[in-house]
PDB file of all heavy atoms in Angstrom:
ATOM      1  N   LEU A   1      91.918  99.866  96.443  1.00 98.00           N
ATOM      2  CA  LEU A   1      91.941  99.515  94.995  1.00 98.00           C
ATOM      3  C   LEU A   1      90.690  98.828  94.672  1.00 98.00           C
ATOM      4  O   LEU A   1      90.228  97.814  95.314  1.00 98.00           O
ATOM      5  CB  LEU A   1      93.132  98.722  94.701  1.00 98.00           C
ATOM      6  CG  LEU A   1      93.222  98.204  93.208  1.00 98.00           C
ATOM      7  CD1 LEU A   1      93.359  99.325  92.263  1.00 98.00           C
ATOM      8  CD2 LEU A   1      94.383  97.155  93.187  1.00 98.00           C
ATOM      9  N   VAL A   2      89.939  99.246  93.521  1.00 98.00           N
ATOM     10  CA  VAL A   2      88.673  98.744  93.106  1.00 98.00           C
ATOM     11  C   VAL A   2      88.691  98.724  91.595  1.00 98.00           C
ATOM     12  O   VAL A   2      89.241  99.651  91.035  1.00 98.00           O
ATOM     13  CB  VAL A   2      87.570  99.441  93.766  1.00 98.00           C
ATOM     14  CG1 VAL A   2      87.492 100.916  93.380  1.00 98.00           C
ATOM     15  CG2 VAL A   2      86.283  98.673  93.580  1.00 98.00           C
ATOM     16  N   GLN A   3      87.966  97.730  91.056  1.00 98.00           N
ATOM     17  CA  GLN A   3      87.861  97.794  89.650  1.00 98.00           C
ATOM     18  C   GLN A   3      86.739  98.770  89.180  1.00 98.00           C
ATOM     19  O   GLN A   3      85.921  99.127  90.053  1.00 98.00           O
ATOM     20  CB  GLN A   3      87.422  96.415  89.160  1.00 98.00           C
ATOM     21  CG  GLN A   3      88.450  95.386  89.325  1.00 98.00           C
ATOM     22  CD  GLN A   3      88.141  93.951  88.772  1.00 98.00           C
ATOM     23  OE1 GLN A   3      86.930  93.709  88.624  1.00 98.00           O
ATOM     24  NE2 GLN A   3      89.091  93.239  88.466  1.00 98.00           N
ATOM     25  N   PRO A   4      86.752  99.268  88.002  1.00 98.00           N
ATOM     26  CA  PRO A   4      85.639 100.035  87.452  1.00 98.00           C
ATOM     27  C   PRO A   4      84.232  99.400  87.701  1.00 98.00           C
ATOM     28  O   PRO A   4      84.136  98.172  87.414  1.00 98.00           O
ATOM     29  CB  PRO A   4      85.984 100.191  85.935  1.00 98.00           C
ATOM     30  CG  PRO A   4      87.430 100.024  85.860  1.00 98.00           C
ATOM     31  CD  PRO A   4      87.755  99.023  86.868  1.00 98.00           C
ATOM     32  N   GLY A   5      83.368 100.278  88.016  1.00 98.00           N
ATOM     33  CA  GLY A   5      82.046  99.764  88.418  1.00 98.00           C
ATOM     34  C   GLY A   5      81.818  99.164  89.737  1.00 98.00           C
ATOM     35  O   GLY A   5      80.721  98.888  90.160  1.00 98.00           O
ATOM     36  N   GLY A   6      82.928  99.187  90.535  1.00 98.00           N
ATOM     37  CA  GLY A   6      82.931  98.722  91.937  1.00 98.00           C
ATOM     38  C   GLY A   6      82.389  99.710  92.855  1.00 98.00           C
ATOM     39  O   GLY A   6      82.099 100.900  92.538  1.00 98.00           O
ATOM     40  N   THR A   7      82.430  99.210  94.246  1.00 98.00           N
ATOM     41  CA  THR A   7      82.019 100.236  95.240  1.00 98.00           C
ATOM     42  C   THR A   7      83.045 100.291  96.384  1.00 98.00           C
ATOM     43  O   THR A   7      83.853  99.329  96.580  1.00 98.00           O
ATOM     44  CB  THR A   7      80.704  99.773  95.916  1.00 98.00           C
ATOM     45  OG1 THR A   7      80.920  98.466  96.528  1.00 98.00           O
ATOM     46  CG2 THR A   7      79.635  99.575  94.849  1.00 98.00           C
ATOM     47  N   LEU A   8      83.065 101.399  96.983  1.00 98.00           N
ATOM     48  CA  LEU A   8      83.845 101.619  98.252  1.00 98.00           C
ATOM     49  C   LEU A   8      83.073 102.519  99.123  1.00 98.00           C
ATOM     50  O   LEU A   8      82.208 103.335  98.694  1.00 98.00           O
ATOM     51  CB  LEU A   8      85.161 102.316  97.912  1.00 98.00           C
ATOM     52  CG  LEU A   8      86.281 101.481  97.475  1.00 98.00           C
ATOM     53  CD1 LEU A   8      87.524 102.405  97.094  1.00 98.00           C
ATOM     54  CD2 LEU A   8      86.817 100.433  98.373  1.00 98.00           C
ATOM     55  N   ARG A   9      83.276 102.368 100.470  1.00 98.00           N
ATOM     56  CA  ARG A   9      82.769 103.212 101.469  1.00 98.00           C
ATOM     57  C   ARG A   9      83.838 103.910 102.329  1.00 98.00           C
ATOM     58  O   ARG A   9      84.581 103.127 102.953  1.00 98.00           O
ATOM     59  CB  ARG A   9      81.729 102.450 102.326  1.00 98.00           C
ATOM     60  CG  ARG A   9      80.901 103.314 103.333  1.00 98.00           C
ATOM     61  CD  ARG A   9      80.284 102.608 104.333  1.00 98.00           C
ATOM     62  NE  ARG A   9      79.264 103.315 105.080  1.00 98.00           N
ATOM     63  CZ  ARG A   9      78.824 102.945 106.257  1.00 98.00           C
ATOM     64  NH1 ARG A   9      79.372 101.982 106.923  1.00 98.00           N
ATOM     65  NH2 ARG A   9      77.879 103.677 106.814  1.00 98.00           N
ATOM     66  N   LEU A  10      83.974 105.189 102.283  1.00 98.00           N
ATOM     67  CA  LEU A  10      84.808 105.883 103.072  1.00 98.00           C
ATOM     68  C   LEU A  10      84.197 106.355 104.435  1.00 98.00           C
ATOM     69  O   LEU A  10      83.024 106.703 104.464  1.00 98.00           O
ATOM     70  CB  LEU A  10      85.311 107.106 102.412  1.00 98.00           C
ATOM     71  CG  LEU A  10      86.061 106.876 100.895  1.00 98.00           C
ATOM     72  CD1 LEU A  10      86.525 108.219 100.406  1.00 98.00           C
ATOM     73  CD2 LEU A  10      87.080 105.854 100.991  1.00 98.00           C
ATOM     74  N   SER A  11      85.013 106.345 105.455  1.00 98.00           N
ATOM     75  CA  SER A  11      84.542 106.903 106.716  1.00 98.00           C
ATOM     76  C   SER A  11      85.500 107.910 107.208  1.00 98.00           C
ATOM     77  O   SER A  11      86.653 107.791 106.960  1.00 98.00           O
ATOM     78  CB  SER A  11      84.434 105.673 107.741  1.00 98.00           C
ATOM     79  OG  SER A  11      83.565 104.708 107.305  1.00 98.00           O
ATOM     80  N   CYS A  12      84.993 108.869 107.972  1.00 97.00           N
ATOM     81  CA  CYS A  12      85.764 109.875 108.677  1.00 97.00           C
ATOM     82  C   CYS A  12      85.301 110.092 110.006  1.00 97.00           C
ATOM     83  O   CYS A  12      84.089 110.523 110.152  1.00 97.00           O
ATOM     84  CB  CYS A  12      85.733 111.224 107.779  1.00 97.00           C
ATOM     85  SG  CYS A  12      86.525 112.496 108.644  1.00 97.00           S
ATOM     86  N   ALA A  13      86.150 109.788 110.972  1.00 96.00           N
ATOM     87  CA  ALA A  13      85.772 109.961 112.414  1.00 96.00           C
ATOM     88  C   ALA A  13      86.374 111.199 112.902  1.00 96.00           C
ATOM     89  O   ALA A  13      87.613 111.391 112.807  1.00 96.00           O
ATOM     90  CB  ALA A  13      86.238 108.760 113.163  1.00 96.00           C
ATOM     91  N   ALA A  14      85.498 112.055 113.387  1.00 95.00           N
ATOM     92  CA  ALA A  14      85.923 113.430 113.839  1.00 95.00           C
ATOM     93  C   ALA A  14      85.940 113.494 115.348  1.00 95.00           C
ATOM     94  O   ALA A  14      85.108 112.873 115.977  1.00 95.00           O
ATOM     95  CB  ALA A  14      84.933 114.388 113.248  1.00 95.00           C
ATOM     96  N   SER A  15      86.833 114.195 115.889  1.00 94.00           N
ATOM     97  CA  SER A  15      86.878 114.379 117.342  1.00 94.00           C
ATOM     98  C   SER A  15      87.404 115.761 117.691  1.00 94.00           C
ATOM     99  O   SER A  15      88.162 116.342 116.850  1.00 94.00           O
ATOM    100  CB  SER A  15      87.742 113.276 118.006  1.00 94.00           C
ATOM    101  OG  SER A  15      88.991 113.277 117.445  1.00 94.00           O
ATOM    102  N   GLY A  16      87.178 116.278 118.812  1.00 93.00           N
ATOM    103  CA  GLY A  16      87.715 117.439 119.423  1.00 93.00           C
ATOM    104  C   GLY A  16      87.007 118.742 119.064  1.00 93.00           C
ATOM    105  O   GLY A  16      87.486 119.809 119.533  1.00 93.00           O
ATOM    106  N   SER A  17      85.879 118.679 118.278  1.00 91.00           N
ATOM    107  CA  SER A  17      85.119 119.951 118.024  1.00 91.00           C
ATOM    108  C   SER A  17      83.783 119.495 117.486  1.00 91.00           C
ATOM    109  O   SER A  17      83.486 118.287 117.344  1.00 91.00           O
ATOM    110  CB  SER A  17      85.903 120.706 116.910  1.00 91.00           C
ATOM    111  OG  SER A  17      85.229 121.914 116.773  1.00 91.00           O
ATOM    112  N   ILE A  18      82.972 120.482 117.383  1.00 90.00           N
ATOM    113  CA  ILE A  18      81.657 120.361 116.807  1.00 90.00           C
ATOM    114  C   ILE A  18      81.645 120.855 115.357  1.00 90.00           C
ATOM    115  O   ILE A  18      82.117 122.022 115.131  1.00 90.00           O
ATOM    116  CB  ILE A  18      80.607 120.964 117.656  1.00 90.00           C
ATOM    117  CG1 ILE A  18      80.526 120.273 119.028  1.00 90.00           C
ATOM    118  CG2 ILE A  18      79.189 120.881 116.947  1.00 90.00           C
ATOM    119  CD1 ILE A  18      79.530 121.078 120.037  1.00 90.00           C
ATOM    120  N   PHE A  19      81.198 120.069 114.419  1.00 92.00           N
ATOM    121  CA  PHE A  19      81.379 120.522 113.046  1.00 92.00           C
ATOM    122  C   PHE A  19      79.999 120.793 112.492  1.00 92.00           C
ATOM    123  O   PHE A  19      79.161 119.964 112.328  1.00 92.00           O
ATOM    124  CB  PHE A  19      82.020 119.438 112.231  1.00 92.00           C
ATOM    125  CG  PHE A  19      83.448 119.142 112.641  1.00 92.00           C
ATOM    126  CD1 PHE A  19      83.833 118.164 113.605  1.00 92.00           C
ATOM    127  CD2 PHE A  19      84.519 119.999 112.171  1.00 92.00           C
ATOM    128  CE1 PHE A  19      85.012 117.959 114.033  1.00 92.00           C
ATOM    129  CE2 PHE A  19      85.759 119.759 112.649  1.00 92.00           C
ATOM    130  CZ  PHE A  19      86.103 118.706 113.534  1.00 92.00           C
ATOM    131  N   ARG A  20      79.853 122.026 111.917  1.00 92.00           N
ATOM    132  CA  ARG A  20      78.651 122.417 111.347  1.00 92.00           C
ATOM    133  C   ARG A  20      78.465 121.749 109.903  1.00 92.00           C
ATOM    134  O   ARG A  20      77.357 121.451 109.566  1.00 92.00           O
ATOM    135  CB  ARG A  20      78.635 123.935 111.208  1.00 92.00           C
ATOM    136  CG  ARG A  20      78.504 124.713 112.514  1.00 92.00           C
ATOM    137  CD  ARG A  20      78.613 126.198 112.364  1.00 92.00           C
ATOM    138  NE  ARG A  20      77.599 126.571 111.372  1.00 92.00           N
ATOM    139  CZ  ARG A  20      77.941 127.219 110.247  1.00 92.00           C
ATOM    140  NH1 ARG A  20      79.277 127.277 109.779  1.00 92.00           N
ATOM    141  NH2 ARG A  20      77.094 127.738 109.417  1.00 92.00           N
ATOM    142  N   ILE A  21      79.590 121.699 109.208  1.00 95.00           N
ATOM    143  CA  ILE A  21      79.671 121.191 107.901  1.00 95.00           C
ATOM    144  C   ILE A  21      80.695 120.007 107.829  1.00 95.00           C
ATOM    145  O   ILE A  21      81.800 120.263 108.378  1.00 95.00           O
ATOM    146  CB  ILE A  21      79.914 122.216 106.826  1.00 95.00           C
ATOM    147  CG1 ILE A  21      78.925 123.362 106.968  1.00 95.00           C
ATOM    148  CG2 ILE A  21      79.903 121.630 105.444  1.00 95.00           C
ATOM    149  CD1 ILE A  21      79.358 124.610 106.073  1.00 95.00           C
ATOM    150  N   MET A  22      80.374 118.978 107.229  1.00 96.00           N
ATOM    151  CA  MET A  22      81.398 117.979 107.011  1.00 96.00           C
ATOM    152  C   MET A  22      81.299 117.505 105.492  1.00 96.00           C
ATOM    153  O   MET A  22      80.216 117.640 104.785  1.00 96.00           O
ATOM    154  CB  MET A  22      81.287 116.769 107.911  1.00 96.00           C
ATOM    155  CG  MET A  22      81.491 117.161 109.329  1.00 96.00           C
ATOM    156  SD  MET A  22      81.630 115.663 110.399  1.00 96.00           S
ATOM    157  CE  MET A  22      83.353 115.134 109.945  1.00 96.00           C
ATOM    158  N   GLY A  23      82.393 117.003 104.980  1.00 97.00           N
ATOM    159  CA  GLY A  23      82.399 116.615 103.631  1.00 97.00           C
ATOM    160  C   GLY A  23      83.658 115.937 103.168  1.00 97.00           C
ATOM    161  O   GLY A  23      84.547 115.612 103.984  1.00 97.00           O
ATOM    162  N   TRP A  24      83.670 115.750 101.851  1.00 98.00           N
ATOM    163  CA  TRP A  24      84.807 115.058 101.183  1.00 98.00           C
ATOM    164  C   TRP A  24      85.254 115.874 100.018  1.00 98.00           C
ATOM    165  O   TRP A  24      84.431 116.354  99.255  1.00 98.00           O
ATOM    166  CB  TRP A  24      84.367 113.633 100.724  1.00 98.00           C
ATOM    167  CG  TRP A  24      84.064 112.723 101.891  1.00 98.00           C
ATOM    168  CD1 TRP A  24      82.852 112.548 102.395  1.00 98.00           C
ATOM    169  CD2 TRP A  24      84.948 111.939 102.592  1.00 98.00           C
ATOM    170  NE1 TRP A  24      82.974 111.593 103.472  1.00 98.00           N
ATOM    171  CE2 TRP A  24      84.203 111.222 103.509  1.00 98.00           C
ATOM    172  CE3 TRP A  24      86.289 111.670 102.504  1.00 98.00           C
ATOM    173  CZ2 TRP A  24      84.762 110.389 104.376  1.00 98.00           C
ATOM    174  CZ3 TRP A  24      86.879 110.733 103.277  1.00 98.00           C
ATOM    175  CH2 TRP A  24      86.151 110.137 104.266  1.00 98.00           C
ATOM    176  N   TYR A  25      86.552 115.991  99.917  1.00 98.00           N
ATOM    177  CA  TYR A  25      87.211 116.580  98.729  1.00 98.00           C
ATOM    178  C   TYR A  25      88.174 115.582  98.209  1.00 98.00           C
ATOM    179  O   TYR A  25      88.497 114.578  98.837  1.00 98.00           O
ATOM    180  CB  TYR A  25      88.053 117.852  99.162  1.00 98.00           C
ATOM    181  CG  TYR A  25      87.195 119.069  99.409  1.00 98.00           C
ATOM    182  CD1 TYR A  25      86.283 119.165 100.370  1.00 98.00           C
ATOM    183  CD2 TYR A  25      87.256 120.221  98.452  1.00 98.00           C
ATOM    184  CE1 TYR A  25      85.611 120.371 100.634  1.00 98.00           C
ATOM    185  CE2 TYR A  25      86.469 121.227  98.606  1.00 98.00           C
ATOM    186  CZ  TYR A  25      85.678 121.388  99.828  1.00 98.00           C
ATOM    187  OH  TYR A  25      84.942 122.538  99.928  1.00 98.00           O
ATOM    188  N   ARG A  26      88.561 115.767  96.932  1.00 98.00           N
ATOM    189  CA  ARG A  26      89.540 114.843  96.354  1.00 98.00           C
ATOM    190  C   ARG A  26      90.509 115.539  95.534  1.00 98.00           C
ATOM    191  O   ARG A  26      90.191 116.662  95.063  1.00 98.00           O
ATOM    192  CB  ARG A  26      88.867 113.771  95.523  1.00 98.00           C
ATOM    193  CG  ARG A  26      88.101 114.257  94.262  1.00 98.00           C
ATOM    194  CD  ARG A  26      87.446 113.112  93.637  1.00 98.00           C
ATOM    195  NE  ARG A  26      86.754 113.476  92.378  1.00 98.00           N
ATOM    196  CZ  ARG A  26      85.931 112.781  91.712  1.00 98.00           C
ATOM    197  NH1 ARG A  26      85.604 111.483  92.074  1.00 98.00           N
ATOM    198  NH2 ARG A  26      85.443 113.232  90.573  1.00 98.00           N
ATOM    199  N   GLN A  27      91.621 115.119  95.452  1.00 98.00           N
ATOM    200  CA  GLN A  27      92.733 115.585  94.611  1.00 98.00           C
ATOM    201  C   GLN A  27      93.472 114.504  93.739  1.00 98.00           C
ATOM    202  O   GLN A  27      93.994 113.540  94.299  1.00 98.00           O
ATOM    203  CB  GLN A  27      93.725 116.330  95.469  1.00 98.00           C
ATOM    204  CG  GLN A  27      94.758 117.093  94.685  1.00 98.00           C
ATOM    205  CD  GLN A  27      95.557 118.075  95.397  1.00 98.00           C
ATOM    206  OE1 GLN A  27      95.603 117.932  96.694  1.00 98.00           O
ATOM    207  NE2 GLN A  27      96.201 119.174  94.870  1.00 98.00           N
ATOM    208  N   ALA A  28      93.229 114.571  92.514  1.00 97.00           N
ATOM    209  CA  ALA A  28      93.927 113.559  91.605  1.00 97.00           C
ATOM    210  C   ALA A  28      95.321 114.185  91.340  1.00 97.00           C
ATOM    211  O   ALA A  28      95.580 115.399  91.268  1.00 97.00           O
ATOM    212  CB  ALA A  28      93.116 113.507  90.369  1.00 97.00           C
ATOM    213  N   GLN A  29      96.095 113.320  90.872  1.00 96.00           N
ATOM    214  CA  GLN A  29      97.564 113.669  90.591  1.00 96.00           C
ATOM    215  C   GLN A  29      97.515 114.715  89.495  1.00 96.00           C
ATOM    216  O   GLN A  29      96.906 114.573  88.399  1.00 96.00           O
ATOM    217  CB  GLN A  29      98.297 112.441  90.115  1.00 96.00           C
ATOM    218  CG  GLN A  29      99.855 112.610  90.096  1.00 96.00           C
ATOM    219  CD  GLN A  29     100.628 111.270  89.957  1.00 96.00           C
ATOM    220  OE1 GLN A  29      99.995 110.258  89.754  1.00 96.00           O
ATOM    221  NE2 GLN A  29     101.882 111.430  90.143  1.00 96.00           N
ATOM    222  N   GLY A  30      98.245 115.869  89.756  1.00 96.00           N
ATOM    223  CA  GLY A  30      98.367 116.882  88.833  1.00 96.00           C
ATOM    224  C   GLY A  30      97.245 117.866  88.742  1.00 96.00           C
ATOM    225  O   GLY A  30      97.249 118.738  87.824  1.00 96.00           O
ATOM    226  N   LYS A  31      96.252 117.676  89.580  1.00 97.00           N
ATOM    227  CA  LYS A  31      95.000 118.439  89.616  1.00 97.00           C
ATOM    228  C   LYS A  31      94.815 119.117  90.956  1.00 97.00           C
ATOM    229  O   LYS A  31      95.380 118.812  91.898  1.00 97.00           O
ATOM    230  CB  LYS A  31      93.833 117.609  89.100  1.00 97.00           C
ATOM    231  CG  LYS A  31      93.838 116.980  87.716  1.00 97.00           C
ATOM    232  CD  LYS A  31      92.474 116.444  87.350  1.00 97.00           C
ATOM    233  CE  LYS A  31      92.547 115.800  85.893  1.00 97.00           C
ATOM    234  NZ  LYS A  31      91.270 115.226  85.531  1.00 97.00           N
ATOM    235  N   GLU A  32      93.863 120.075  90.906  1.00 97.00           N
ATOM    236  CA  GLU A  32      93.607 120.870  92.107  1.00 97.00           C
ATOM    237  C   GLU A  32      92.590 120.017  92.938  1.00 97.00           C
ATOM    238  O   GLU A  32      91.831 119.196  92.401  1.00 97.00           O
ATOM    239  CB  GLU A  32      92.974 122.270  91.804  1.00 97.00           C
ATOM    240  CG  GLU A  32      93.989 123.192  91.140  1.00 97.00           C
ATOM    241  CD  GLU A  32      93.497 124.561  91.017  1.00 97.00           C
ATOM    242  OE1 GLU A  32      92.294 124.797  91.255  1.00 97.00           O
ATOM    243  OE2 GLU A  32      94.303 125.525  90.615  1.00 97.00           O
ATOM    244  N   ARG A  33      92.582 120.310  94.255  1.00 97.00           N
ATOM    245  CA  ARG A  33      91.642 119.693  95.058  1.00 97.00           C
ATOM    246  C   ARG A  33      90.158 120.112  94.735  1.00 97.00           C
ATOM    247  O   ARG A  33      90.029 121.384  94.504  1.00 97.00           O
ATOM    248  CB  ARG A  33      91.930 119.908  96.490  1.00 97.00           C
ATOM    249  CG  ARG A  33      91.134 119.166  97.570  1.00 97.00           C
ATOM    250  CD  ARG A  33      91.689 119.380  99.047  1.00 97.00           C
ATOM    251  NE  ARG A  33      93.041 118.952  99.125  1.00 97.00           N
ATOM    252  CZ  ARG A  33      93.585 118.904 100.408  1.00 97.00           C
ATOM    253  NH1 ARG A  33      92.862 119.233 101.507  1.00 97.00           N
ATOM    254  NH2 ARG A  33      94.852 118.544 100.502  1.00 97.00           N
ATOM    255  N   GLU A  34      89.235 119.241  94.721  1.00 98.00           N
ATOM    256  CA  GLU A  34      87.936 119.599  94.305  1.00 98.00           C
ATOM    257  C   GLU A  34      86.862 119.010  95.335  1.00 98.00           C
ATOM    258  O   GLU A  34      87.112 117.944  95.915  1.00 98.00           O
ATOM    259  CB  GLU A  34      87.549 119.123  92.983  1.00 98.00           C
ATOM    260  CG  GLU A  34      87.620 117.584  92.829  1.00 98.00           C
ATOM    261  CD  GLU A  34      87.236 117.203  91.348  1.00 98.00           C
ATOM    262  OE1 GLU A  34      86.916 118.028  90.427  1.00 98.00           O
ATOM    263  OE2 GLU A  34      87.121 115.915  91.077  1.00 98.00           O
ATOM    264  N   LEU A  35      85.759 119.707  95.479  1.00 98.00           N
ATOM    265  CA  LEU A  35      84.738 119.262  96.299  1.00 98.00           C
ATOM    266  C   LEU A  35      84.093 118.090  95.593  1.00 98.00           C
ATOM    267  O   LEU A  35      83.826 118.007  94.487  1.00 98.00           O
ATOM    268  CB  LEU A  35      83.633 120.281  96.450  1.00 98.00           C
ATOM    269  CG  LEU A  35      82.367 119.870  97.206  1.00 98.00           C
ATOM    270  CD1 LEU A  35      82.602 119.620  98.598  1.00 98.00           C
ATOM    271  CD2 LEU A  35      81.255 121.016  96.941  1.00 98.00           C
ATOM    272  N   VAL A  36      83.766 117.004  96.547  1.00 98.00           N
ATOM    273  CA  VAL A  36      83.069 115.882  96.064  1.00 98.00           C
ATOM    274  C   VAL A  36      81.642 115.912  96.595  1.00 98.00           C
ATOM    275  O   VAL A  36      80.717 115.808  95.907  1.00 98.00           O
ATOM    276  CB  VAL A  36      83.759 114.537  96.651  1.00 98.00           C
ATOM    277  CG1 VAL A  36      82.871 113.327  96.137  1.00 98.00           C
ATOM    278  CG2 VAL A  36      85.134 114.448  96.020  1.00 98.00           C
ATOM    279  N   ALA A  37      81.514 116.119  97.968  1.00 98.00           N
ATOM    280  CA  ALA A  37      80.173 116.159  98.508  1.00 98.00           C
ATOM    281  C   ALA A  37      80.341 116.792  99.967  1.00 98.00           C
ATOM    282  O   ALA A  37      81.284 116.723 100.596  1.00 98.00           O
ATOM    283  CB  ALA A  37      79.591 114.712  98.671  1.00 98.00           C
ATOM    284  N   ARG A  38      79.217 117.437 100.371  1.00 97.00           N
ATOM    285  CA  ARG A  38      79.217 118.091 101.684  1.00 97.00           C
ATOM    286  C   ARG A  38      77.748 117.706 102.314  1.00 97.00           C
ATOM    287  O   ARG A  38      76.892 117.699 101.577  1.00 97.00           O
ATOM    288  CB  ARG A  38      79.286 119.561 101.660  1.00 97.00           C
ATOM    289  CG  ARG A  38      80.686 120.063 101.176  1.00 97.00           C
ATOM    290  CD  ARG A  38      80.783 121.590 101.276  1.00 97.00           C
ATOM    291  NE  ARG A  38      79.901 122.209 100.333  1.00 97.00           N
ATOM    292  CZ  ARG A  38      79.766 123.524 100.188  1.00 97.00           C
ATOM    293  NH1 ARG A  38      80.630 124.347 100.801  1.00 97.00           N
ATOM    294  NH2 ARG A  38      79.003 124.060  99.242  1.00 97.00           N
ATOM    295  N   ILE A  39      77.793 117.706 103.575  1.00 97.00           N
ATOM    296  CA  ILE A  39      76.523 117.604 104.363  1.00 97.00           C
ATOM    297  C   ILE A  39      76.450 118.561 105.387  1.00 97.00           C
ATOM    298  O   ILE A  39      77.483 118.799 106.245  1.00 97.00           O
ATOM    299  CB  ILE A  39      76.412 116.185 104.837  1.00 97.00           C
ATOM    300  CG1 ILE A  39      75.080 116.023 105.558  1.00 97.00           C
ATOM    301  CG2 ILE A  39      77.526 115.726 105.869  1.00 97.00           C
ATOM    302  CD1 ILE A  39      74.629 114.500 105.753  1.00 97.00           C
ATOM    303  N   PHE A  40      75.424 119.323 105.534  1.00 94.00           N
ATOM    304  CA  PHE A  40      75.231 120.401 106.582  1.00 94.00           C
ATOM    305  C   PHE A  40      74.602 119.881 107.774  1.00 94.00           C
ATOM    306  O   PHE A  40      74.072 118.808 107.839  1.00 94.00           O
ATOM    307  CB  PHE A  40      74.451 121.526 105.880  1.00 94.00           C
ATOM    308  CG  PHE A  40      75.147 122.112 104.633  1.00 94.00           C
ATOM    309  CD1 PHE A  40      75.100 121.552 103.464  1.00 94.00           C
ATOM    310  CD2 PHE A  40      75.932 123.250 104.778  1.00 94.00           C
ATOM    311  CE1 PHE A  40      75.748 122.026 102.416  1.00 94.00           C
ATOM    312  CE2 PHE A  40      76.586 123.744 103.721  1.00 94.00           C
ATOM    313  CZ  PHE A  40      76.614 123.127 102.533  1.00 94.00           C
ATOM    314  N   GLY A  41      74.597 120.657 108.856  1.00 84.00           N
ATOM    315  CA  GLY A  41      74.120 120.210 110.151  1.00 84.00           C
ATOM    316  C   GLY A  41      72.622 119.775 110.029  1.00 84.00           C
ATOM    317  O   GLY A  41      72.210 118.757 110.791  1.00 84.00           O
TER     318      GLY A  41
END
């Protein structure tokens, strides 16, 4: 939980494979999942 104007840092630790592309999607209540950001190899 953060106030408007605030900051957060998300982390994702991956294991078990090699990933060519990694990224973040988000899904707000009542909405479809959408791309936030991706990073390529």
Side-chain angles (χ1 to χ4, degrees):
L1 173 64
V2 64
Q3 292 185 338
T7 65
L8 280 175
R9 187 191 195 207
L10 305 183
S11 300
C12 173
S15 60
S17 187
I18 298 172
F19 296 94
R20 295 173 52 246
I21 304 169
M22 294 192 75
W24 294 91
Y25 282 69
R26 67 186 181 187
Q27 187 167 17
Q29 195 166 6
K31 295 188 177 180
E32 293 187 353
R33 191 174 296 190
E34 63 176 2
L35 171 69
V36 177
R38 291 184 297 184
I39 185 165
F40 297 83

